[in-house]
Amino acid sequence: MKKALLLIATLFLFITSCSESKPAKLERDGVLITSPTGWEITDQENIDDQGYYLSIEKDGFDSSGIVTMTWINGEIDLGEWAYIFQEELTNNIIYRNSNIQFEDAVDDTYNNIDTSSIRFTASILGLDHEGNIHFFYKGNKTFAILIQEAMEDNVTNKPGFDLIEKGFKVQ
């Protein structure tokens, strides 16, 4: 009987841990972010009351979609911040041996906001990834939004990326 109860409890924990994350909204410093079903806000950090960082990741063991949002209160030069951001990625332990390659900045948009964006590619754990980093000013803040995925996951990640972008608002 004890073995049957243990098996049922283990099965219950497995099933509940595999369920998709529910939609979530976060409002911070006049910034509204929506995490859709199947995606989860996995990390948040107050940057010494000078800004904020968060990441939203697609659920699942074999999922690669991630969006990170960083904002700094006030305005800093976008070119300088793009350079610092690229240096931080290049020196980050995840990207250090990934052969990360950045393209030149181009004019772009994120949820109808004019941005400067930089595309990049990297090989992380032998899997080809691609990404885009948007830099812009909005609501007396300077933003960097990184969107990254394994190239093989772009079809499955697109709906989530689109919902996150549409749910992004700055007051």
Side-chain angles (χ1 to χ4, degrees):
M1 182 68 177
K2 287 183 181 178
K3 286 184 181 180
L5 288 174
L6 182 60
L7 181 62
I8 291 170
T10 303
L11 185 59
F12 175 76
L13 287 173
F14 177 75
I15 290 170
T16 58
S17 68
C18 292
S19 63
E20 283 189 321
S21 297
K22 303 286 185 222
K25 291 188 181 209
L26 171 74
E27 187 169 355
R28 172 93 188 189
D29 302 332
V31 179
L32 177 65
I33 296 123
T34 302
S35 173
T37 300
W39 292 71
E40 182 178 1
I41 297 173
T42 56
D43 194 14
Q44 300 179 59
E45 183 179 343
N46 181 340
I47 306 170
D48 297 325
D49 292 326
Q50 300 299 311
Y52 205 74
Y53 164 86
L54 70 92
S55 64
I56 304 169
E57 296 183 46
K58 186 163 179 17
D59 289 342
F61 177 72
D62 200 23
S63 297
S64 68
I66 185 169
V67 176
T68 68
M69 298 184 181
T70 308
W71 64 85
I72 303 296
N73 298 326
E75 293 186 3
I76 60 174
D77 180 79
L78 293 182
E80 182 180 327
W81 201 22
Y83 175 79
I84 292 168
F85 206 94
Q86 289 176 70
E87 286 294 309
E88 289 292 324
L89 284 180
T90 301
N91 294 317
N92 181 287
I93 193 163
I94 293 170
Y95 299 95
R96 190 174 297 141
N97 296 313
S98 71
N99 192 31
I100 192 166
Q101 299 291 314
F102 297 98
E103 295 180 8
D104 291 334
V106 297
D107 292 338
D108 206 345
T109 61
Y110 188 82
N111 196 19
N112 298 317
I113 301 167
D114 290 333
T115 72
S116 174
S117 73
I118 298 173
R119 298 194 55 75
F120 66 93
T121 57
S123 178
I124 301 171
L125 299 174
L127 194 58
D128 290 335
H129 282 70
E130 62 186 352
N132 197 12
I133 313 163
H134 292 273
F135 299 94
F136 59 94
Y137 303 116
K138 185 76 175 169
N140 198 30
K141 293 174 179 43
T142 308
F143 286 86
I145 297 179
L146 178 143
I147 302 154
Q148 179 186 308
E149 65 187 334
M151 290 181 184
E152 65 185 27
D153 293 339
N154 59 9
V155 171
T156 58
N157 288 335
K158 184 170 179 13
F161 285 147
D162 289 347
L163 287 171
I164 292 167
E165 181 174 343
K166 289 176 185 164
F168 175 79
K169 306 235 183 313
V170 181
Q171 299 175 350

